[in-house]
Amino acid sequence: MAGGGGGGAAPAPKADELVPHPVKDQLPNVSYCITSPPPWPEAILLGFQHYLVMLGTTVIIPTALVPQMGGGNDEKARVIQTLLFVAGINTLLQSFFGTRLPAVIGGSYTFVAPTISIILAGRYNNIVEPHRKFLHIMRGTQGALIVASTLQIIVGLSGLWRNVTRFLSPLSAVPLVALSGFGLYELGFPAVAKCVEIGLPMIIILIVISQYIPHAIHAEKPVFDRFAVIFSVAIVWLYAYFLTIGGAYKHSPPKTQLHCRTDRSGLVGSAPWIRVPYPFQWEHQPLMLEKPFAMMAAAFVGVVESTGTFIAVSRYASATPLPPSVLSRGIGWQGIGILLDGLFGTASGSTVSVENAGLLALTRVGSRRVVQISAGFMIFFSILGKFGAVLLLFQHQYLQLCTVFFFAYVGSVGLSFLQFCNLNSFRTKFILGFSIFMGLSVPQYFNEYTSVAGYGPAHTNARWFNDIVNILFSSEPFVAGVVAFFLDNTLQRRNSAVRKDRGYHWWDKFRSFKTDTRSEEFYSLPFNLNKFFPSV
């Protein structure tokens, strides 16, 4: 009802002021963070989904390496079992004593190049019998991995990496984290294109199930988006199975059949019913030290790449930024993981799984318990070989198609750290653009040169030097991260305005473990071990 006096019209409501979105040091809208596990049935299913996702990398690395080493299906099945078993142990060690993040530790593509370098070493050319050649190359790989593991153990557990990463700002973290995901573009759509009639439907189904159906149905519980990988892989595998039994690939080239058919793994018949991997299991060949510098270069690249992925995992788990001491501790335990890789003989080192980091984003579940359950699945199915091999009928190509999603999620979380930076600063624009461009361009040059010439741009008489240079500069996140870190810490660093432009002040309270109370909740060691191993 109108009041008396003053008949003028009421003033128009004030328009909302246009303000930017607020900065968040923890990612909102995550359903379950590190310390809040979902109900047990849901946690077990989510853990199984993490296991399925890491199968892609677990299968593709031995599939690429073992035949070149001289091994057949039997050796390939045993290497896959061993890689799964050790990945389960390393994931548990990382979640209990490392960073304590929900990070899956699995086989790393970074170690493929030095392993191939060992395979091509001249000393193995005279070994004619394939199985004997496989054993000798495996022992050479084991020796190199054991030596390379010491680099990460020393750099991490000595606190050296803590002293480096305390100078990491949000600006220098952007290229590092972003290219930890985007830098794997060569493993994304090219994998889809190997069998495009299955790959494209897989991407479309995954998008529909995870992004459209949840908003169309309005279900009480998030089922489709949370378990989208299980639904998608099952549907696409059935589709590929019907194509296979229908004879669609009967007269296709062998390469097409390998990537498209559902009956080409050759692992079920080769896998034993029960087998527990153990250290030095590859018979009693003498342990050899082959290409140690190449493997140590890969281990150093792994330190940088894992730093980017750990930061991504902490973000998607809705944790606070990693204190440098916790990050350094995680790198040390990752080095212990590579030591186990060498002792057991996995043919490859290990690192944080980028695919599983992306899965945290897809499910919005960053629970530590879920990842520990997935580690249990890894160990269980690696021991019961036949059951694990039956699951591998899904084959790595169907699981690998999901990586387009997961790499994109990790890359995008790197870009999200720009919220802490001043994007109107020309200094910010230069560092950001130059580091990302060089991170993509330099490795592209090294990879193209190698594919044409058969050797890398560094081609001197000192093979150890060639290995180090060619491996270091073939990694996108390594190049981008190093360039951004150097420029950010040398260009006008002491200017107070620049300090704010680079977002350094936002992470000040996370430089030490004790300056933020939430560090205790997310990163403190279990069993009251912080008393004996305090974080600083």
Side-chain angles (χ1 to χ4, degrees):
M1 294 176 67
K14 188 177 180 182
D16 290 337
E17 291 184 13
L18 297 176
V19 293
H21 294 287
V23 171
K24 301 281 187 182
D25 52 22
Q26 285 180 263
L27 186 67
N29 303 320
V30 172
S31 301
Y32 299 97
C33 69
I34 296 180
T35 54
S36 60
W40 276 104
E42 189 175 345
I44 291 171
L45 201 54
L46 285 164
F48 181 70
Q49 190 169 236
H50 270 282
Y51 164 73
L52 280 182
V53 167
M54 70 87 58
L55 272 182
T57 309
T58 303
V59 177
I60 197 171
I61 292 176
T63 299
L65 294 178
V66 171
Q68 297 184 61
M69 297 167 73
N73 282 338
D74 182 51
E75 288 84 3
K76 184 165 70 173
R78 289 178 64 186
V79 172
I80 289 172
Q81 273 187 287
T82 304
L83 189 53
L84 265 179
F85 184 81
V86 177
I89 293 174
N90 287 341
T91 300
L92 289 175
L93 290 175
Q94 190 65 236
S95 66
F96 277 108
F97 307 114
T99 58
R100 306 223 65 209
L101 288 169
V104 171
I105 308 298
S108 170
Y109 297 112
T110 304
F111 290 86
V112 170
T115 303
I116 291 176
S117 183
I118 292 173
I119 292 170
L120 298 176
R123 73 167 69 183
Y124 304 113
N125 292 340
N126 297 327
I127 305 176
V128 179
E129 203 275 309
H131 181 67
R132 186 163 162 264
K133 182 177 182 180
F134 169 81
L135 291 176
H136 277 80
I137 293 175
M138 177 61 78
R139 296 296 273 181
T141 306
Q142 285 183 269
L145 283 170
I146 290 170
V147 171
S149 69
T150 59
L151 186 144
Q152 289 198 4
I153 293 171
I154 293 171
V155 165
L157 298 185
S158 69
L160 178 62
W161 198 240
R162 175 192 69 212
N163 295 331
V164 173
T165 53
R166 41 187 297 264
F167 295 104
L168 193 69
S169 73
L171 177 58
S172 52
V174 170
L176 171 61
V177 181
L179 264 66
S180 295
F182 294 148
L184 294 167
Y185 64 91
E186 293 176 341
L187 303 171
F189 197 80
V192 174
K194 288 176 181 177
C195 187
V196 73
E197 64 269 31
I198 291 174
L200 277 180
M202 177 70 176
I203 294 177
I204 293 168
I205 289 169
L206 189 55
I207 291 173
V208 170
I209 290 177
S210 65
Q211 306 298 321
Y212 287 94
I213 289 181
H215 299 289
I217 291 180
H218 300 294
E220 290 184 11
K221 292 186 176 180
V223 176
F224 291 99
D225 47 346
R226 193 150 292 172
F227 304 106
V229 172
I230 293 177
F231 288 129
S232 302
V233 171
I235 292 169
V236 170
W237 187 86
L238 281 173
Y239 164 60
Y241 175 73
F242 287 127
L243 287 178
T244 301
I245 62 173
Y249 303 110
K250 196 172 183 181
H251 304 292
S252 298
K255 197 170 183 180
T256 302
Q257 293 195 35
L258 177 66
H259 292 292
C260 297
R261 293 180 67 102
T262 59
D263 56 357
R264 280 290 186 267
S265 68
L267 295 174
V268 178
S270 304
W273 281 102
I274 297 177
R275 181 179 172 276
V276 180
Y278 55 92
F280 303 113
Q281 60 186 323
W282 301 107
E283 299 186 13
H284 299 291
Q285 299 291 334
L287 196 66
M288 294 178 287
L289 190 58
E290 185 72 60
K291 299 279 186 179
F293 291 106
M295 204 64 83
M296 290 184 79
F300 185 61
V301 169
V303 170
V304 178
E305 292 181 348
S306 294
T307 298
T309 314
F310 274 135
I311 293 171
V313 170
S314 68
R315 188 71 178 164
Y316 279 135
S318 194
T320 52
L322 278 159
S325 60
V326 173
L327 186 51
S328 190
R329 187 176 73 198
I331 294 298
W333 277 97
Q334 184 174 275
I336 293 173
I338 295 174
L339 175 62
L340 293 177
D341 291 326
L343 294 174
F344 280 81
T346 62
S348 172
S350 55
T351 187
V352 189
S353 169
V354 177
E355 294 92 329
N356 291 86
L359 184 59
L360 298 177
L362 184 65
T363 60
R364 299 188 186 183
V365 176
S367 167
R368 184 186 296 133
R369 179 182 294 174
V370 166
V371 166
Q372 290 170 342
I373 291 171
S374 78
F377 278 118
M378 296 174 211
I379 295 171
F380 177 78
F381 284 117
S382 64
I383 293 173
L384 299 179
K386 291 289 185 188
F387 292 98
V390 168
L391 280 175
L392 286 171
L393 285 175
F394 282 118
Q395 297 191 17
H396 67 270
Q397 58 262 41
Y398 305 119
L399 297 163
Q400 195 189 4
L401 299 175
C402 302
T403 58
V404 174
F405 250 57
F406 305 140
F407 296 160
Y409 265 125
V410 173
S412 65
V413 81
L415 298 180
S416 73
F417 291 113
L418 289 172
Q419 65 181 301
F420 301 104
C421 308
N422 178 13
L423 290 177
N424 293 317
S425 162
F426 280 97
R427 178 186 182 276
T428 300
K429 292 179 187 297
F430 167 69
I431 294 174
L432 186 65
F434 186 73
S435 58
I436 291 178
F437 181 82
M438 294 301 287
L440 292 171
S441 186
V442 172
Q444 181 70 15
Y445 166 72
F446 271 73
N447 293 333
E448 282 185 3
Y449 192 105
T450 304
S451 64
V452 173
Y455 49 83
H459 188 60
T460 66
N461 292 329
R463 286 191 170 187
W464 61 270
F465 175 78
N466 301 339
D467 289 335
I468 290 174
V469 173
N470 292 328
I471 288 172
L472 289 180
F473 290 99
S474 295
S475 166
E476 287 87 351
F478 177 83
V479 174
V482 169
V483 170
F485 185 84
F486 174 79
L487 292 175
D488 191 38
N489 284 283
T490 54
L491 285 177
Q492 310 169 46
R493 181 173 166 239
R494 299 190 182 279
N495 189 317
S496 58
V498 165
R499 193 172 187 275
K500 289 187 175 182
D501 288 347
R502 61 201 286 245
Y504 196 84
H505 62 297
W506 286 107
W507 284 4
D508 266 346
K509 61 182 174 182
F510 305 113
R511 306 287 169 196
S512 168
F513 184 87
K514 297 177 181 178
T515 49
D516 189 87
T517 55
R518 292 167 291 181
S519 296
E520 187 75 25
E521 176 190 355
F522 296 132
Y523 304 117
S524 63
L525 292 170
F527 317 121
N528 211 22
L529 287 174
N530 266 18
K531 266 187 180 179
F532 307 100
F533 305 100
S535 299
V536 296

